[in-house]
Amino acid sequence: MTNILLTGSSRGIGAAIADRLSAQAGIRLVGHGTASGIAADFADPAGPRLLWDKALAELGSIDVVINNAGIFEDNPIDRSDDEWVAGWERTMRINLTASAELCRFAVRHWQERQSGGRIVNVASRAAYRGDSPNHWHYAASKAGMVAMTKSIARGYAAQGILAFAVCPGFTMTGMAEDYLSSRGGDKLLADIPLGRVADPEEVANAAAYLATSAPSSMTGAVIDVNGASYVR
């Protein structure tokens, strides 16, 4: 039995990952932010520890952590200094710091058990390509996730602790639909050679593969799911 903690499982990519994993035999999944999952506010510094402790109590042990929770909020540079910094720090807290805390809890858990485990961080194309002038903070948070993933992979592979990242481009979630409609969908779609945004199920398939069956030698890998809109 593989015990998995998945953050941000209430909608979009997270809900698709939950559906994909729940369909597999031999998996016990604890979600975060759903009616049937664990409520924890990542804007609150106490949120990640609360989620970890409750998930661990429910599952007994955790084998895989999938960090998917995140926000995508405008933060234009013409806001007041205090407002801009508050917007920056809110996004960093929810998108990056909470994920880092859960990664740390997981690594220490696996070291104590001497069991190994897997981390899958859902980052973004923005980690490599950047984002709009209103989203410096979002791109920086996702670049931080990628750098953190690689650091964990290099630092703990000898202990059987593996780390991967998925970098979606635009994905047809409610959040992406709002972004596309507010910024001229046709123009943005023209920048995607595939001609469409990704379906959440496509990202979910990649995340599920990394969480359950990707070979150990892939640790540190970053999988792009962006329709060739950014090719590294």
Side-chain angles (χ1 to χ4, degrees):
M1 186 67 67
T2 299
N3 296 333
I4 298 178
L5 170 60
L6 167 64
T7 73
S9 59
S10 62
R11 61 192 177 103
I13 291 171
I17 294 172
D19 288 345
R20 175 67 174 77
L21 290 171
S22 297
Q24 293 185 219
I27 288 178
R28 296 172 65 208
L29 178 72
V30 166
H32 153 243
T34 66
S36 59
I38 298 171
D41 181 5
F42 283 178
D44 179 352
R49 170 56 79 177
L50 174 68
L51 174 62
W52 177 264
D53 288 346
K54 287 188 174 182
L56 190 58
E58 182 170 335
L59 293 170
S61 64
I62 295 173
D63 304 303
V64 179
V65 172
I66 304 175
N67 283 307
N68 168 74
I71 57 172
F72 184 81
E73 299 175 344
D74 281 358
N75 197 29
I77 62 171
D78 58 0
R79 301 176 81 182
S80 72
D81 292 351
D82 288 347
E83 288 175 331
W84 190 86
V85 170
W88 177 281
E89 292 181 345
R90 170 176 160 80
T91 288
M92 288 297 175
R93 156 57 55 188
I94 294 172
N95 288 9
L96 180 58
T97 305
S99 296
E101 292 182 79
L102 289 169
C103 286
R104 174 175 171 266
F105 298 151
V107 169
R108 290 175 59 83
H109 176 60
W110 297 327
Q111 287 176 329
E112 290 170 3
R113 291 172 56 201
Q114 298 182 348
S115 63
R118 291 181 180 231
I119 291 167
V120 179
N121 290 322
V122 180
S124 169
R125 178 187 73 172
Y128 292 99
R129 175 174 151 151
D131 211 285
S132 81
N134 288 350
H135 295 93
W136 298 7
H137 54 335
Y138 178 79
S141 71
K142 295 302 186 177
M145 286 189 81
V146 170
M148 177 175 69
T149 301
K150 294 180 178 182
S151 298
I152 294 169
R154 289 176 57 81
Y156 305 101
Q159 299 172 47
I161 296 171
L162 313 178
F164 312 92
V166 181
C167 283
F170 288 115
T171 306
M172 195 45 69
T173 65
M175 185 168 59
E177 288 172 352
D178 292 343
Y179 189 94
L180 285 166
S181 62
S182 67
R183 287 159 177 80
D186 290 343
K187 182 178 179 181
L188 285 177
L189 290 174
D191 192 40
I192 304 174
L194 187 61
R196 64 172 179 83
V197 299
D199 291 325
E201 290 74 17
E202 293 178 300
V203 184
N205 286 340
Y209 169 67
L210 295 174
T212 60
S213 57
S216 299
S217 291
M218 278 187 66
T219 191
V222 180
I223 293 183
D224 296 321
V225 188
N226 64 45
S229 58
Y230 188 78
V231 179
R232 292 181 288 121

